[in-house]
Amino acid sequence: MLRQALIAGGGIGGLAAALAATRAGWDVRLFERANAFSEAGAGIQLGPNVVKVLQGWGLAGALQIVSAFPERLQVRCALSGQTLGELPLGASIAERYGAPYATLHRADLHRLLLEAVQQHADVKLHLSRPLQSFSQTAQAVMVQADDGPGIEGDALIGADGVWSMVRQQLLGDGLPRRTGHLAYRALVPQAGLPKLLRSQHVTAWLGPRMHVVQYPVRGGEWLNIVAIVQGEVPAEADLWDHSANAADLAAATAGCSAALREVLDAVEGWRLWVLHDRPPMQGAHQQAVGRVALLGDAAHPMRPYLAQGAGMAIEDAAELGHALAQALDPAFDVPTMLQRYALNRWQRNARVQARALRNGQIFHADGVVRWGRNVSMKMLGARVLDMPWLYGGGVRAT
């Protein structure tokens, strides 16, 4: 039985959904509002739970080319520079969870998925065509992409990000909330850094009301640096990309150790993101209704303190692929299978959202809480940093 999936959004989540849907035997039409496929941002971390999905889609070789595979994660005190704890990655985590821990540029992951999607003739990609509205019946879903006639399909997947139009029409639950956290991001070629600042590891520097994460991307040739501080910007500032003043970040990290200051001072320019999220999901009704399902940030935008935002979108896509494959059987109708998709995903997504919130409080702690955090990391090390429930869980690829 021929089925057609309509997908809103051509980012990482939308392309992952398109790949999963076509692998499940569906025709796909993807609608992207921009006039070219591109991915803004900088680095991204993929845990073994996500790498396993990409490997299952036959992308292991492509991922190997564009990624770095750090040997360890180390946590350091932003104020003293002291190492608080370490978690072995590399071969150790690959043996434990069946896949490595990868770090790469968001644009490289986006391009990898786009190239995989373009290999399938049953996927049609439409640029400069944002979806404006949709309606659904028991038999079909109809989308309006422009002034032309409506486009009918069997399912609509909202993968249109944190400001999702599909979510607004489907759930009508308002806009995402501003977190009060700002992310300053930069990419630096490692060859241009002093040797002492070059790194092939993931390093997290934890300080009061701020933290910094650095890790290699693009085969280790570049260093991705993200500094997240608690603070607000004027309401008229761009909602996701802002020409940040490095002086603001310097002021926020003025009390940090010389070791961290050297890393930050090596950056010539920063891009600023104002972070938004939603509360942890409360039920499957927030991920699918009838023939319309949400995926990734459209369903569960989260704070970046667990490095799983893109990862949960890719896991969503893999689970969606299972549901759509089953929906080809006349015995299973599409709304029922999308509801199963939602039931199988919302609790894990909610747990990741909640853990990311908690991590933010721990990372940015001060006073007695900061002291207790540091002591526990020194005493327990990898036992605190490892997360079997996350890295060992997830979804197998179709």
Side-chain angles (χ1 to χ4, degrees), residues 78-79 205 210 212 214 253 256-265:
L79 301 183
W205 306 76
M210 55 76 63
V212 177
Q214 64 181 73
T253 57
C256 291
S257 67
L260 176 55
R261 286 294 334 155
E262 284 185 88
V263 173
L264 300 179
D265 290 343

Side-chain angles (χ1 to χ4, degrees), residues 143-216:
V143 303
Q144 192 70 41
D146 47 35
D147 294 333
I151 302 162
E152 187 175 273
D154 296 286
L156 169 62
I157 310 303
D160 47 345
V162 66
W163 305 102
S164 169
M165 177 284 297
V166 177
R167 181 186 183 120
Q168 287 307 305
Q169 186 174 337
L170 184 69
L171 303 181
D173 57 354
L175 297 176
R177 61 188 181 184
R178 183 171 286 190
T179 64
H181 293 204
L182 310 175
Y184 295 81
R185 302 179 186 270
L187 275 168
V188 182
Q190 300 229 49
L193 292 173
K195 288 187 177 180
L196 288 176
L197 297 185
R198 300 174 193 175
S199 175
Q200 296 299 323
H201 310 299
V202 180
T203 302
W205 306 76
L206 309 186
R209 295 177 59 82
M210 55 76 63
H211 81 284
V212 177
V213 179
Q214 64 181 73
Y215 51 84

Side-chain angles (χ1 to χ4, degrees), residues 85-88 377 380-387:
E86 292 190 350
L87 173 67
M377 283 194 179
L380 300 175
R383 292 173 59 186
V384 172
L385 298 173
D386 198 5
M387 291 177 286

Side-chain angles (χ1 to χ4, degrees), residues 282-308:
Q282 297 298 306
H285 65 281
Q286 292 180 309
Q287 194 139 9
V289 178
R291 290 179 174 268
V292 182
L294 302 176
L295 180 146
D297 282 350
H300 42 75
M302 59 188 66
R303 302 190 187 189
Y305 305 129
L306 203 57
Q308 285 287 324

Side-chain angles (χ1 to χ4, degrees), residues 102-189:
T103 55
L104 64 164
H105 195 294
R106 292 185 67 94
D108 292 338
L109 176 59
H110 186 267
R111 183 169 54 252
L112 179 156
L113 290 168
L114 177 60
E115 291 174 355
V117 166
Q118 289 173 328
Q119 294 176 14
H120 294 268
D122 51 0
V123 178
K124 303 296 187 292
L125 304 175
H126 303 277
L127 292 169
S128 300
R129 294 194 73 184
L131 294 191
Q132 299 172 351
S133 63
F134 69 86
S135 60
Q136 62 172 316
T137 66
Q139 291 74 39
V141 60
M142 181 77 70
V143 303
Q144 192 70 41
D146 47 35
D147 294 333
I151 302 162
E152 187 175 273
D154 296 286
L156 169 62
I157 310 303
D160 47 345
V162 66
W163 305 102
S164 169
M165 177 284 297
V166 177
R167 181 186 183 120
Q168 287 307 305
Q169 186 174 337
L170 184 69
L171 303 181
D173 57 354
L175 297 176
R177 61 188 181 184
R178 183 171 286 190
T179 64
H181 293 204
L182 310 175
Y184 295 81
R185 302 179 186 270
L187 275 168
V188 182

Side-chain angles (χ1 to χ4, degrees), residues 178 180-182 184 231-245 248 272-276:
R178 183 171 286 190
H181 293 204
L182 310 175
Y184 295 81
E232 290 287 355
V233 295
E236 66 272 14
D238 188 290
L239 290 175
W240 72 276
D241 188 11
H242 177 63
S243 182
N245 187 344
D248 293 340
L272 176 62
W273 273 255
V274 182
L275 300 182
H276 294 77

